[in-house]
PDB file of all heavy atoms in Angstrom:
ATOM      1  N   TYR A 126     -36.009  14.200   1.924  1.00 92.00           N
ATOM      2  CA  TYR A 126     -36.641  15.192   1.165  1.00 92.00           C
ATOM      3  C   TYR A 126     -37.911  14.689   0.437  1.00 92.00           C
ATOM      4  O   TYR A 126     -38.768  15.482   0.049  1.00 92.00           O
ATOM      5  CB  TYR A 126     -35.622  15.853   0.224  1.00 92.00           C
ATOM      6  CG  TYR A 126     -36.146  16.963  -0.548  1.00 92.00           C
ATOM      7  CD1 TYR A 126     -36.461  18.233  -0.002  1.00 92.00           C
ATOM      8  CD2 TYR A 126     -36.445  16.937  -1.930  1.00 92.00           C
ATOM      9  CE1 TYR A 126     -36.984  19.289  -0.727  1.00 92.00           C
ATOM     10  CE2 TYR A 126     -36.980  17.913  -2.619  1.00 92.00           C
ATOM     11  CZ  TYR A 126     -37.234  19.212  -2.009  1.00 92.00           C
ATOM     12  OH  TYR A 126     -37.737  20.206  -2.725  1.00 92.00           O
ATOM     13  N   ILE A 127     -37.963  13.411   0.209  1.00 93.00           N
ATOM     14  CA  ILE A 127     -39.072  12.777  -0.474  1.00 93.00           C
ATOM     15  C   ILE A 127     -40.414  13.202   0.191  1.00 93.00           C
ATOM     16  O   ILE A 127     -41.399  13.460  -0.437  1.00 93.00           O
ATOM     17  CB  ILE A 127     -39.019  11.284  -0.628  1.00 93.00           C
ATOM     18  CG1 ILE A 127     -37.846  10.936  -1.534  1.00 93.00           C
ATOM     19  CG2 ILE A 127     -40.173  10.619  -1.026  1.00 93.00           C
ATOM     20  CD1 ILE A 127     -37.477   9.421  -1.570  1.00 93.00           C
ATOM     21  N   GLY A 128     -40.344  13.299   1.598  1.00 93.00           N
ATOM     22  CA  GLY A 128     -41.497  13.730   2.292  1.00 93.00           C
ATOM     23  C   GLY A 128     -41.911  15.167   2.042  1.00 93.00           C
ATOM     24  O   GLY A 128     -43.191  15.459   2.104  1.00 93.00           O
ATOM     25  N   VAL A 129     -40.907  15.916   1.809  1.00 90.00           N
ATOM     26  CA  VAL A 129     -41.311  17.354   1.341  1.00 90.00           C
ATOM     27  C   VAL A 129     -41.873  17.409  -0.010  1.00 90.00           C
ATOM     28  O   VAL A 129     -42.952  18.006  -0.289  1.00 90.00           O
ATOM     29  CB  VAL A 129     -40.110  18.263   1.476  1.00 90.00           C
ATOM     30  CG1 VAL A 129     -40.445  19.699   1.052  1.00 90.00           C
ATOM     31  CG2 VAL A 129     -39.464  18.301   2.922  1.00 90.00           C
ATOM     32  N   LYS A 130     -41.148  16.713  -0.941  1.00 88.00           N
ATOM     33  CA  LYS A 130     -41.599  16.775  -2.374  1.00 88.00           C
ATOM     34  C   LYS A 130     -42.976  16.226  -2.512  1.00 88.00           C
ATOM     35  O   LYS A 130     -43.769  16.658  -3.356  1.00 88.00           O
ATOM     36  CB  LYS A 130     -40.570  15.995  -3.159  1.00 88.00           C
ATOM     37  CG  LYS A 130     -40.756  16.028  -4.647  1.00 88.00           C
ATOM     38  CD  LYS A 130     -40.398  17.402  -5.201  1.00 88.00           C
ATOM     39  CE  LYS A 130     -41.150  17.572  -6.437  1.00 88.00           C
ATOM     40  NZ  LYS A 130     -41.856  18.816  -6.569  1.00 88.00           N
ATOM     41  N   SER A 131     -43.290  15.183  -1.865  1.00 89.00           N
ATOM     42  CA  SER A 131     -44.625  14.519  -1.991  1.00 89.00           C
ATOM     43  C   SER A 131     -45.685  15.241  -1.268  1.00 89.00           C
ATOM     44  O   SER A 131     -46.903  14.969  -1.392  1.00 89.00           O
ATOM     45  CB  SER A 131     -44.530  13.141  -1.484  1.00 89.00           C
ATOM     46  OG  SER A 131     -44.234  13.132  -0.144  1.00 89.00           O
ATOM     47  N   GLY A 132     -45.345  16.239  -0.451  1.00 89.00           N
ATOM     48  CA  GLY A 132     -46.287  17.051   0.369  1.00 89.00           C
ATOM     49  C   GLY A 132     -46.730  16.344   1.570  1.00 89.00           C
ATOM     50  O   GLY A 132     -47.681  16.800   2.307  1.00 89.00           O
ATOM     51  N   LEU A 133     -45.935  15.367   1.953  1.00 94.00           N
ATOM     52  CA  LEU A 133     -46.328  14.567   3.147  1.00 94.00           C
ATOM     53  C   LEU A 133     -46.113  15.340   4.438  1.00 94.00           C
ATOM     54  O   LEU A 133     -47.082  15.403   5.296  1.00 94.00           O
ATOM     55  CB  LEU A 133     -45.521  13.206   3.197  1.00 94.00           C
ATOM     56  CG  LEU A 133     -45.827  12.374   4.358  1.00 94.00           C
ATOM     57  CD1 LEU A 133     -47.174  11.649   4.375  1.00 94.00           C
ATOM     58  CD2 LEU A 133     -44.668  11.183   4.419  1.00 94.00           C
ATOM     59  N   TYR A 134     -44.927  15.897   4.627  1.00 94.00           N
ATOM     60  CA  TYR A 134     -44.558  16.543   5.917  1.00 94.00           C
ATOM     61  C   TYR A 134     -45.549  17.741   6.190  1.00 94.00           C
ATOM     62  O   TYR A 134     -46.028  17.832   7.278  1.00 94.00           O
ATOM     63  CB  TYR A 134     -43.115  17.008   5.921  1.00 94.00           C
ATOM     64  CG  TYR A 134     -42.138  15.882   5.835  1.00 94.00           C
ATOM     65  CD1 TYR A 134     -40.862  16.179   5.338  1.00 94.00           C
ATOM     66  CD2 TYR A 134     -42.386  14.608   6.215  1.00 94.00           C
ATOM     67  CE1 TYR A 134     -39.868  15.200   5.200  1.00 94.00           C
ATOM     68  CE2 TYR A 134     -41.420  13.652   6.087  1.00 94.00           C
ATOM     69  CZ  TYR A 134     -40.199  13.938   5.596  1.00 94.00           C
ATOM     70  OH  TYR A 134     -39.173  12.971   5.437  1.00 94.00           O
ATOM     71  N   PRO A 135     -45.754  18.648   5.181  1.00 94.00           N
ATOM     72  CA  PRO A 135     -46.590  19.850   5.578  1.00 94.00           C
ATOM     73  C   PRO A 135     -48.035  19.347   5.857  1.00 94.00           C
ATOM     74  O   PRO A 135     -48.621  19.936   6.879  1.00 94.00           O
ATOM     75  CB  PRO A 135     -46.594  20.651   4.227  1.00 94.00           C
ATOM     76  CG  PRO A 135     -45.346  20.222   3.592  1.00 94.00           C
ATOM     77  CD  PRO A 135     -45.118  18.784   3.902  1.00 94.00           C
ATOM     78  N   SER A 136     -48.535  18.263   5.171  1.00 95.00           N
ATOM     79  CA  SER A 136     -49.800  17.843   5.491  1.00 95.00           C
ATOM     80  C   SER A 136     -49.936  17.188   6.950  1.00 95.00           C
ATOM     81  O   SER A 136     -50.902  17.528   7.686  1.00 95.00           O
ATOM     82  CB  SER A 136     -50.229  16.724   4.464  1.00 95.00           C
ATOM     83  OG  SER A 136     -50.268  17.322   3.188  1.00 95.00           O
ATOM     84  N   LEU A 137     -48.848  16.494   7.330  1.00 96.00           N
ATOM     85  CA  LEU A 137     -48.802  15.843   8.661  1.00 96.00           C
ATOM     86  C   LEU A 137     -48.771  16.937   9.774  1.00 96.00           C
ATOM     87  O   LEU A 137     -49.253  16.882  10.815  1.00 96.00           O
ATOM     88  CB  LEU A 137     -47.654  14.836   8.722  1.00 96.00           C
ATOM     89  CG  LEU A 137     -47.902  13.615   7.950  1.00 96.00           C
ATOM     90  CD1 LEU A 137     -46.662  12.656   8.264  1.00 96.00           C
ATOM     91  CD2 LEU A 137     -49.119  12.838   8.327  1.00 96.00           C
ATOM     92  N   ILE A 138     -48.003  17.982   9.402  1.00 94.00           N
ATOM     93  CA  ILE A 138     -47.867  19.178  10.347  1.00 94.00           C
ATOM     94  C   ILE A 138     -49.225  19.809  10.578  1.00 94.00           C
ATOM     95  O   ILE A 138     -49.576  20.107  11.663  1.00 94.00           O
ATOM     96  CB  ILE A 138     -46.867  20.234   9.842  1.00 94.00           C
ATOM     97  CG1 ILE A 138     -45.423  19.673   9.836  1.00 94.00           C
ATOM     98  CG2 ILE A 138     -46.912  21.612  10.617  1.00 94.00           C
ATOM     99  CD1 ILE A 138     -44.627  19.913  11.070  1.00 94.00           C
ATOM    100  N   PHE A 139     -50.007  19.899   9.449  1.00 95.00           N
ATOM    101  CA  PHE A 139     -51.353  20.411   9.505  1.00 95.00           C
ATOM    102  C   PHE A 139     -52.254  19.548  10.439  1.00 95.00           C
ATOM    103  O   PHE A 139     -53.162  20.051  11.031  1.00 95.00           O
ATOM    104  CB  PHE A 139     -51.896  20.623   8.122  1.00 95.00           C
ATOM    105  CG  PHE A 139     -51.989  22.064   7.666  1.00 95.00           C
ATOM    106  CD1 PHE A 139     -50.760  22.712   7.760  1.00 95.00           C
ATOM    107  CD2 PHE A 139     -53.142  22.730   7.279  1.00 95.00           C
ATOM    108  CE1 PHE A 139     -50.846  24.165   7.376  1.00 95.00           C
ATOM    109  CE2 PHE A 139     -53.135  24.037   6.815  1.00 95.00           C
ATOM    110  CZ  PHE A 139     -51.938  24.764   6.899  1.00 95.00           C
ATOM    111  N   LEU A 140     -52.092  18.288  10.299  1.00 95.00           N
ATOM    112  CA  LEU A 140     -52.808  17.341  11.160  1.00 95.00           C
ATOM    113  C   LEU A 140     -52.576  17.707  12.671  1.00 95.00           C
ATOM    114  O   LEU A 140     -53.510  17.780  13.472  1.00 95.00           O
ATOM    115  CB  LEU A 140     -52.297  15.978  10.942  1.00 95.00           C
ATOM    116  CG  LEU A 140     -53.132  14.730  11.230  1.00 95.00           C
ATOM    117  CD1 LEU A 140     -54.470  14.723  10.448  1.00 95.00           C
ATOM    118  CD2 LEU A 140     -52.402  13.449  10.911  1.00 95.00           C
ATOM    119  N   GLY A 141     -51.305  17.929  12.946  1.00 95.00           N
ATOM    120  CA  GLY A 141     -51.021  18.379  14.303  1.00 95.00           C
ATOM    121  C   GLY A 141     -51.517  19.713  14.688  1.00 95.00           C
ATOM    122  O   GLY A 141     -52.124  19.882  15.821  1.00 95.00           O
ATOM    123  N   ILE A 142     -51.435  20.682  13.742  1.00 94.00           N
ATOM    124  CA  ILE A 142     -51.946  21.958  14.015  1.00 94.00           C
ATOM    125  C   ILE A 142     -53.486  21.954  14.294  1.00 94.00           C
ATOM    126  O   ILE A 142     -54.039  22.526  15.208  1.00 94.00           O
ATOM    127  CB  ILE A 142     -51.684  22.975  12.839  1.00 94.00           C
ATOM    128  CG1 ILE A 142     -50.116  23.230  12.777  1.00 94.00           C
ATOM    129  CG2 ILE A 142     -52.415  24.309  13.026  1.00 94.00           C
ATOM    130  CD1 ILE A 142     -49.748  23.984  11.549  1.00 94.00           C
ATOM    131  N   GLY A 143     -54.156  21.060  13.464  1.00 95.00           N
ATOM    132  CA  GLY A 143     -55.596  20.939  13.682  1.00 95.00           C
ATOM    133  C   GLY A 143     -55.912  20.386  15.050  1.00 95.00           C
ATOM    134  O   GLY A 143     -56.873  20.914  15.700  1.00 95.00           O
ATOM    135  N   ALA A 144     -55.126  19.407  15.433  1.00 96.00           N
ATOM    136  CA  ALA A 144     -55.382  18.834  16.809  1.00 96.00           C
ATOM    137  C   ALA A 144     -54.989  19.843  17.920  1.00 96.00           C
ATOM    138  O   ALA A 144     -55.558  19.639  19.032  1.00 96.00           O
ATOM    139  CB  ALA A 144     -54.535  17.574  16.922  1.00 96.00           C
ATOM    140  N   MET A 145     -54.223  20.820  17.669  1.00 94.00           N
ATOM    141  CA  MET A 145     -53.800  21.770  18.680  1.00 94.00           C
ATOM    142  C   MET A 145     -54.705  23.036  18.750  1.00 94.00           C
ATOM    143  O   MET A 145     -54.643  23.776  19.615  1.00 94.00           O
ATOM    144  CB  MET A 145     -52.451  22.188  18.454  1.00 94.00           C
ATOM    145  CG  MET A 145     -51.381  21.140  18.845  1.00 94.00           C
ATOM    146  SD  MET A 145     -49.684  21.772  18.992  1.00 94.00           S
ATOM    147  CE  MET A 145     -49.200  21.949  17.370  1.00 94.00           C
ATOM    148  N   THR A 146     -55.498  23.178  17.642  1.00 92.00           N
ATOM    149  CA  THR A 146     -56.270  24.431  17.504  1.00 92.00           C
ATOM    150  C   THR A 146     -57.677  24.314  18.059  1.00 92.00           C
ATOM    151  O   THR A 146     -58.398  23.370  17.742  1.00 92.00           O
ATOM    152  CB  THR A 146     -56.270  24.875  16.087  1.00 92.00           C
ATOM    153  OG1 THR A 146     -55.034  24.877  15.587  1.00 92.00           O
ATOM    154  CG2 THR A 146     -56.921  26.229  15.855  1.00 92.00           C
ATOM    155  N   ASP A 147     -58.077  25.376  18.796  1.00 92.00           N
ATOM    156  CA  ASP A 147     -59.419  25.472  19.304  1.00 92.00           C
ATOM    157  C   ASP A 147     -60.118  26.445  18.404  1.00 92.00           C
ATOM    158  O   ASP A 147     -59.815  27.679  18.467  1.00 92.00           O
ATOM    159  CB  ASP A 147     -59.391  25.910  20.786  1.00 92.00           C
ATOM    160  CG  ASP A 147     -60.911  26.160  21.252  1.00 92.00           C
ATOM    161  OD1 ASP A 147     -61.822  25.754  20.577  1.00 92.00           O
ATOM    162  OD2 ASP A 147     -61.020  26.817  22.330  1.00 92.00           O
ATOM    163  N   PHE A 148     -61.063  25.945  17.590  1.00 93.00           N
ATOM    164  CA  PHE A 148     -61.802  26.853  16.781  1.00 93.00           C
ATOM    165  C   PHE A 148     -62.974  27.511  17.299  1.00 93.00           C
ATOM    166  O   PHE A 148     -63.752  28.254  16.670  1.00 93.00           O
ATOM    167  CB  PHE A 148     -62.210  26.080  15.398  1.00 93.00           C
ATOM    168  CG  PHE A 148     -61.143  25.775  14.491  1.00 93.00           C
ATOM    169  CD1 PHE A 148     -60.475  24.646  14.480  1.00 93.00           C
ATOM    170  CD2 PHE A 148     -60.685  26.826  13.548  1.00 93.00           C
ATOM    171  CE1 PHE A 148     -59.390  24.341  13.537  1.00 93.00           C
ATOM    172  CE2 PHE A 148     -59.626  26.646  12.650  1.00 93.00           C
ATOM    173  CZ  PHE A 148     -59.040  25.356  12.659  1.00 93.00           C
TER     174      PHE A 148
END
Side-chain angles (χ1 to χ4, degrees):
Chain A
Y126 184 70
I127 290 173
V129 176
K130 186 68 204 134
S131 61
L133 178 69
Y134 299 154
S136 302
L137 291 179
I138 292 267
F139 256 52
L140 202 60
I142 292 172
M145 285 195 281
T146 305
D147 176 13
F148 284 98

